[in-house]
Amino acid sequence: MPRIGYHASHEQFAPEELLGLVRLAEAAGFAAAKSSDHFHPWSERQGQSGFAWSWIGAAMQATALPFGLITAPGWRHHPAVVAQAAATLARMFPGRFWLALGSGEAINEAILGTCWPDKAERNARLRECAAIIRALFAGETVTHRGRVTVVEARLYTRPAEPVPMFGAAVSPETAAEVAGWADGLLTTGGRPEDVARVIGAFRAGGGAGKPVHIQHALSWAEDEARALALAMDQWAPVVAGGEVNWDLRRPADFDRIGGLVSEQAMRACIAVSADPGWHRDRIAALCDLGDVVHLHCVGRNQRAFIETFGAKVLPGLG
């Protein structure tokens, strides 16, 4: 039976508050958790950008949940440092940590001041970084000179089993691209038929039999108008989609885009409803496609969301 996870959003909540929320999620019945690794929030209104790598050790110590973290190696974080950080977490918390690797977004990675390349080049850089990280997990001494440089790097502190390394993809093309090197897939939720196409491309490209995690964005509140208002306030800047999300550099840029988002566009991208049963049915459809579905309630009403879904949604999902 697929597990239901809680997405911890560092863009929206201060790290000490987020720690309390993930503990509350565990108590409410969520069986897993995941986090993103951002330098900037998507919007000035979100207003936070805690360092996920520092936070996740505290969160894993404070709970018994398995955790995943998505990061973009080769930009802010050198792949050798990513490998060292992930190996240390997996050593301290055996069998509980998995790592997802993505090609990155300018809002986080362009702070380096380097040229932000097109998607094909970012994918090529990601492949190099994934190979370096995997070799380090295996205990090899790695020297590599390419898009990134590593000279005689070796991890001396490693877990008994290598860290599962997932590929992050939101399109069928990228899913097929990462399938060759990834141990699993992390993708986004939405309409089941769209998610199924992404997962199908991953499996056809070499990912058959590998686990699939789905991050599902939703907005719930006690009434429909409030659920929509919370989504528009916090998540409208991310609804633009396409290459916009990967190429804009500043939260203020996203806020300008967010001002153009309509209710119809929001509902097309985010599951908005005040009815827990409505949400449960849509989550169940995603559970049929993947192994773990991580719920990201995009509003600030996290405690009410956790308590309500723990009582009215999770029990109906197994």
Side-chain angles (χ1 to χ4, degrees):
M1 197 69 185
R3 293 178 295 178
I4 304 299
Y6 174 73
H7 174 69
S9 178
H10 284 277
E11 307 96 296
Q12 296 176 276
F13 302 97
E16 69 278 10
E17 183 179 3
L18 205 55
L19 184 60
L21 292 173
V22 79
R23 294 178 70 179
L24 184 64
E26 180 182 37
F30 287 81
K34 71 168 289 291
S35 175
S36 54
D37 175 16
H38 266 243
F39 189 86
H40 288 138
W42 294 106
S43 163
E44 294 286 349
R45 290 191 299 279
Q46 289 180 345
Q48 296 292 332
S49 60
F51 188 53
W53 286 99
S54 299
W55 178 87
I56 201 167
M60 295 184 78
Q61 180 66 30
T63 69
L65 298 174
F67 266 82
L69 178 67
I70 177 172
T71 193
W75 303 100
R76 283 178 300 143
H77 305 315
H78 191 282
V81 177
V82 170
Q84 184 186 33
T88 299
L89 284 169
R91 179 68 176 259
M92 291 192 298
F93 306 105
R96 289 176 53 200
F97 181 70
W98 55 273
L99 178 66
L101 304 178
S103 59
E105 302 112 356
I107 195 168
N108 299 310
E109 314 306 332
I111 62 168
L112 300 179
T114 57
C115 174
W116 185 244
D118 62 15
K119 178 63 170 171
E121 175 61 21
R122 299 201 310 272
N123 282 348
R125 192 180 188 95
L126 177 60
R127 282 196 304 273
E128 282 193 18
C129 291
I132 291 165
I133 293 169
R134 190 174 296 284
L136 289 167
F137 283 164
E140 298 177 21
T141 298
V142 178
T143 294
H144 175 88
R145 293 180 174 88
R147 291 172 172 85
V148 295
T149 300
V150 188
V151 179
E152 296 184 356
R154 179 185 172 193
L155 290 183
Y156 284 83
T157 298
R158 295 181 292 118
E161 297 294 332
V163 180
M165 201 162 63
F166 284 52
V170 298
S171 70
E173 294 76 18
T174 301
E177 167 78 19
V178 303
W181 58 258
D183 299 318
L185 172 69
L186 173 64
T187 190
T188 52
R191 297 192 307 169
E193 57 269 32
D194 294 335
V195 179
R197 280 193 287 272
V198 175
I199 295 173
F202 176 74
R203 289 176 174 155
K210 297 177 181 180
V212 172
H213 288 224
I214 300 168
Q215 180 177 322
H216 177 57
L218 63 94
S219 186
W220 168 88
E222 291 80 358
D223 64 78
E224 189 84 9
R226 179 65 175 158
L228 179 61
L230 287 169
M232 295 295 286
D233 178 70
Q234 288 289 291
W235 218 245
V238 193
V239 168
E243 292 300 306
V244 171
N245 286 2
W246 322 135
D247 289 343
L248 291 184
R249 289 173 172 264
R250 293 165 296 201
D253 295 334
F254 278 93
D255 282 326
R256 286 182 177 273
I257 294 293
L260 305 176
V261 171
S262 66
E263 174 183 338
Q264 182 180 7
M266 175 60 70
R267 289 184 181 275
C269 294
I270 304 293
V272 178
S273 177
D275 180 3
W278 185 92
H279 283 290
R280 183 180 58 245
D281 291 346
R282 279 143 187 81
I283 296 164
L286 296 176
C287 286
D288 290 339
L289 299 173
D291 299 279
V292 184
V293 179
H294 301 275
L295 305 184
H296 177 199
C297 184
V298 301
R300 290 196 176 274
N301 57 336
Q302 293 296 291
R303 291 185 178 275
F305 156 71
I306 290 168
E307 291 166 357
T308 299
F309 275 54
K312 298 182 179 181
V313 174
L314 301 191
L317 296 171

